């Protein structure tokens, strides 16, 4: 019995060490919102997902960061229109989150693009495809080729920006 107890205690210690080692990795992938550093890493992630699915990112361009106030976020959530205030200055604590629009153009096959979007949807980060236009490329050797242009939006918390 003593040997069995010792073995169980040893197993518990090993598991605790493994959990401690994996926790930072889990936290990096499990947060919903992007930090400023992760926005730059997004380009790398998009490139990797595109390459895995035989796609080419022809254009990717980050646009101006937009602030979303708490009042605007609440109005959007409840479906009501936001009241406009005369004050031009925004208090830092009135900002709920930031949206970062990114324009893109991706070329490749339709199936590859669908797989690419699926990979993005499986990531834990909040990412929205706001606008998307898929066009079939016409030509002699363009069997099933498409060109996708659009805008996706990344969401970041006010504390991280």
């Amino acid at each position: 019995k003593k040997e069995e107890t010792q073995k169980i205690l040893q197993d518990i210690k090993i598991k605790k060490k493994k959990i401690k080692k994996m926790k930072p990795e889990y936290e990096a992938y499990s947060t919903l919102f992007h930090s400023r550093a992760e926005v730059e890493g997004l380009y790398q992630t998009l490139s990797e997902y595109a390459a895995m699915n035989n796609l080419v990112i022809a254009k990717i361009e980050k646009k101006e960061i937009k602030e979303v106030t708490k009042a605007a976020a609440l109005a959007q959530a409840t479906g009501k229109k936001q009241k406009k205030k005369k004050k031009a200055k925004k208090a830092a604590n009135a900002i709920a989150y930031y949206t970062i629009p990114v324009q893109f153009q991706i070329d490749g096959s339709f199936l590859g693009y669908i797989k690419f979007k699926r990979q993005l949807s499986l990531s834990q980060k909040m990412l929205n495809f706001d606008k998307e236009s898929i066009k079939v490329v016409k030509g002699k050797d363009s069997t099933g080729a498409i060109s996708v242009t659009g805008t996706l939006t990344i969401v970041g918390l006010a504390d991280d920006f």
Side-chain angles (χ1 to χ4, degrees), residues 30-96:
S30 65
T31 56
L32 187 60
F33 300 99
H34 289 80
S35 68
R36 187 173 290 275
E38 288 174 329
V39 170
E40 302 307 322
L42 175 72
Y43 300 135
Q44 180 66 30
T45 304
L46 291 175
S47 297
E48 288 172 8
Y49 288 167
M52 282 186 229
N53 294 295
N54 298 320
L55 300 172
V56 176
I57 298 180
K59 174 183 144 187
I60 187 162
E61 182 181 345
K62 183 171 82 170
K63 295 297 183 181
E64 188 176 327
I65 296 173
K66 298 175 185 172
E67 299 173 341
V68 178
T69 62
K70 290 179 182 176
L74 287 172
Q76 183 181 5
T78 58
K80 296 178 182 176
K81 291 185 180 178
Q82 179 186 3
K83 295 176 185 176
K84 294 190 177 185
K85 294 183 179 180
K86 292 182 181 179
K87 291 183 182 178
K89 287 188 175 183
K90 295 177 187 175
N93 61 356
I95 297 169

Side-chain angles (χ1 to χ4, degrees), residues 139-155:
K140 292 180 183 177
D141 59 346
S142 65
T143 53
I146 61 163
S147 180
V148 182
T149 55
T151 305
L152 59 91
T153 304
I154 306 160
V155 180

